[in-house]
Amino acid sequence: MQKNEIETQPSCEDELNTGLLTVAEAQARILDGVTAISGTETLPVRAALDRVLAGDISSPINVPSHTNSAMDGYAVRAGDLPDEGVREFPVPGTSWAGRPWLTPIEPGQAVQIMTGGMMPEGADTVVMQEQVERNGDRVQIGSGHRPGQHVRAAGEDLAAGQPVFTAGKRLSAADIGVLASLGLGEASVTRRLKVAFFSTGDELRSVGEPLDPGEIYDSNRYTLYGMLKKLDVEIIDMGVVRDRRELIEQAFRDAAVRADAIVTSGGVSVGEADFVKETLEKLGSMAFWKIAMKPGRPVTFGHINNAVFFGLPGNPVSVMVTFFQFVRPALVKMSGETGALGVYTVLARTTSALRKRPGRYEFQRGVLEQSGPGEFTVRTAGAQGSGILRSMSEANCFILLDPDRTSVAVGEEVEVQPFQSLM
Ligand code: AMP
Ligand code: MG
């Protein structure tokens, strides 16, 4: 690229920019800079779905609570089974699931038993009903059965007192099922994280208002709302704040009182930057980073009293990219969740040529498709400008291109990060 005569500061046109923070460094610094909130609440198990467990859980009971049959068949004493030939057993009754046969089994007897039925006292083996011949109140059983077969021991899944879940687990459908299987009606979870957000910009109008020349609708408050909603946090929408020092300062003060985290968009371009920076420096501590990435390079991170502050760029795609890469992991950590983030990457063969200059990490928007078992293709989601929100709409993944990487030809392999259902 040709160098301009006048260039006073690094710009996004520079090919190689030393002094920029890498994406990984910025992610690490942000994660280091936040801690899990305190405060818990006890909820009925269903209401605890998708919430983060506040304490460890041990099983109060044995699961299963009683030794039972894994098959429909006949419960016997293993010692009574014939080594060869066929033996006839009298059948005194049936043990149904939930309606046990409570009389201890006598030597030589076979109690009919249903799947889940409690094993009668003295019986230790189940013979499947397909492998017997029943005649009235007697049953014929042959040889070749293994002692102890088709029996589920009490506490086999989980013994009383055994740890089940550790604090920091986000409760899934299976997890609340497990809690119910233990007879637990309530769970202690961390309180919901409170996240306040507002947009800054004199050009912004809210939906429903007419646009004057030069004005645009505020879409960032909608994308941020949507992404926060997926995180199950308490959302505080503080609207649009005009580019005026007093108003910005007031908004920051209000947000810091009401929320654990504050997310803003816009107001970080040259001229506006000093302005937000000044306010933040006055109210708390902050770092203003230029990150070697595209889109979404300037990101502000800091603290105002007890609240964590994330200042994202204004461009609609930049907001979504920086939220997903930096803010989302931080909010997950603040929520007390300690498990995996649910974000993963796969390798895919690109069916589009991808333009890329070396120097910055690029998050291009792509459409990932599965072409076979473990095989994926990806194509570009269209024009990659940081203002083109439609490219995010069309996309279901980010195509991750390393700083060193140059343009990618059709057929080359690229790393892809699916985000469907995450935002
Ligand atoms: P800024 O960082 O404030 O200079 O904004 C960068 C670009 O993003 C400008 O074109 C803004 O008009 C646009 N922008 C900023 N905030 C929003 C918003 N809330 N919704 C849509 N576009 C925005
Ligand atoms: Mg602005």
Side-chain angles (χ1 to χ4, degrees), residues 58-73:
S58 302
S59 179
I61 56 166
N62 276 322
V63 182
S65 58
H66 53 273
T67 300
N68 68 93
S69 176
M71 295 284 176
D72 291 347

Side-chain angles (χ1 to χ4, degrees), residues 76-144:
V76 296
R77 300 162 173 266
D80 291 343
L81 288 167
D83 290 331
E84 53 189 38
V86 173
R87 177 169 180 181
E88 191 171 71
F89 293 73
V91 181
T94 303
S95 176
W96 305 87
R99 249 193 301 147
W101 179 256
L102 293 168
T103 320
I105 197 167
E106 304 272 336
Q109 283 184 337
V111 169
Q112 190 182 17
I113 194 162
M114 300 302 163
T115 305
M118 191 165 131
M119 287 293 280
E121 199 184 316
D124 55 16
T125 300
V126 171
V127 179
M128 287 166 68
Q129 68 177 13
E130 292 84 350
Q131 297 173 351
V132 306
E133 210 174 296
R134 175 84 184 252
N135 300 301
D137 60 358
R138 308 187 80 76
V139 69
Q140 315 257 8
I141 300 178
S143 64

Side-chain angles (χ1 to χ4, degrees), residues 200-201 203 243 267 272:
T200 68
E203 76 281 27
D243 288 319
E272 295 174 333

Side-chain angles (χ1 to χ4, degrees), residues 9-45:
Q9 287 184 39
S11 81
C12 59
E13 300 254 283
D14 298 342
E15 290 198 4
L16 277 167
N17 241 321
T18 48
L20 294 183
L21 211 56
T22 67
V23 169
E25 278 165 351
Q27 280 167 333
R29 288 192 196 181
I30 287 175
L31 271 187
D32 278 353
V34 302
T35 50
I37 52 165
S38 52
T40 64
E41 57 183 322
T42 300
L43 295 177
V45 162

Side-chain angles (χ1 to χ4, degrees), residues 1-4 6-18 20 268-270 289-298 313 315 318 355-362 384-387 403:
M1 226 189 92
Q2 206 151 16
K3 197 88 185 140
N4 287 323
I6 302 172
E7 182 158 349
T8 54
Q9 287 184 39
S11 81
C12 59
E13 300 254 283
D14 298 342
E15 290 198 4
L16 277 167
N17 241 321
T18 48
L20 294 183
V268 286
S269 56
V270 177
W289 295 327
K290 287 198 167 158
I291 304 171
M293 68 185 284
K294 185 181 173 183
R297 186 152 88 133
N315 274 312
S318 308
R355 285 186 46 194
K356 163 85 167 65
R357 281 192 284 155
R360 291 198 273 161
Y361 201 123
E362 289 199 16
Q384 296 286 320
S386 61

Side-chain angles (χ1 to χ4, degrees), residues 27 30 224 227 263-264 291 293 295-299 310-329 363 398:
Q27 280 167 333
I30 287 175
L224 281 173
M227 294 185 293
V263 183
T264 69
I291 304 171
M293 68 185 284
R297 186 152 88 133
V299 169
F310 303 93
L312 306 183
N315 274 312
V317 178
S318 308
V319 168
M320 296 196 77
V321 172
T322 51
F323 181 91
F324 193 75
Q325 304 299 336
F326 303 113
V327 183
R328 186 180 182 278
F363 296 88
F398 290 121

